[in-house]
Amino acid sequence: MNLVIRQAELADAKRIASFNVALARETENLELNPRVVGIGVRTLLKEPPHGFYVVADNGKKIIGMAMVTFEWSDWRNGQWWWLQSVYVDPAFRKQGVFTRIYDYIVELATHQRRVCGIRLYVEKENRLAQRTYRALGLARSGYSLMETALADGRKVTP
């Protein structure tokens, strides 16, 4: 399959937002507000300090994506890149699309002096994703994710 792996552009926002809505439905049985997700995607694309998206384009449409966000580590004097919003169109799964996206991100990271590593979180029950990530060399860390939501979830309501 001919794929172009590249950083996303603002023109890709609609497809990325639709993937995010599908991802939430598929992995967490969660219905997201498409309008809010669209605003969130466009915000990230317009404000690079938040992160960036990498997309797989087959020449006709975007068929996969991953978002990279940043976390500063004072312990390492470096930046962790967090993979989020990993999604491949169901019609193109098990064809190496995510592997190509991941390899592209790793290549970018290795050329950034301050990047100390790549992390992601995965749903505990998502065994298929866990197998995929392990096959790429990712391993469980010594950390468990904990969170607290702010009263309003800090959702930007349009």
Side-chain angles (χ1 to χ4, degrees):
M1 174 182 351
N2 278 340
L3 283 181
V4 173
I5 310 298
R6 61 176 173 79
Q7 287 191 22
E9 303 165 351
L10 195 53
D12 303 320
K14 188 173 182 178
R15 181 76 167 163
I16 291 169
S18 73
F19 277 178
N20 276 316
V21 170
L23 174 64
R25 185 179 302 121
E26 184 178 318
T27 61
E28 298 182 39
N29 200 28
L30 182 64
E31 290 298 325
L32 299 178
N33 180 328
R35 187 162 186 252
V36 172
V37 173
I39 292 168
V41 168
R42 287 189 304 278
T43 298
L44 184 123
L45 290 169
K46 290 178 185 176
E47 299 178 17
H50 293 310
F52 59 93
Y53 285 97
V54 172
V55 296
D57 187 329
N58 70 358
K60 298 176 184 170
K61 62 183 178 179
I62 293 170
I63 61 169
M65 69 172 194
M67 180 175 71
V68 176
T69 59
F70 312 120
E71 173 193 358
W72 182 254
S73 173
D74 54 348
W75 289 9
R76 292 174 177 83
N77 188 33
Q79 189 178 65
W80 285 99
W81 279 12
W82 279 87
L83 296 186
Q84 300 180 61
S85 300
V86 172
Y87 189 80
V88 174
D89 183 312
F92 296 94
R93 291 182 184 165
K94 297 188 182 268
Q95 297 179 44
V97 175
F98 177 67
T99 299
R100 296 271 309 274
I101 292 170
Y102 180 75
D103 289 348
Y104 179 92
I105 291 168
V106 169
E107 181 70 18
L108 285 177
T110 60
H111 290 94
Q112 300 294 318
R113 189 173 63 85
R114 290 284 175 122
V115 177
C116 60
I118 295 173
R119 288 181 168 162
L120 62 83
Y121 55 90
V122 59
E123 288 288 320
K124 289 183 281 189
E125 304 306 318
N126 194 342
R127 305 282 185 236
L128 179 60
Q130 291 174 34
R131 278 195 304 273
T132 299
Y133 300 144
R134 277 194 299 274
L136 291 170
L138 291 151
R140 287 187 187 272
S141 73
Y143 298 99
S144 292
L145 179 66
M146 300 176 76
E147 66 181 22
T148 188
L150 299 174
D152 65 0
R154 292 295 188 243
K155 294 178 183 167
V156 177
T157 307

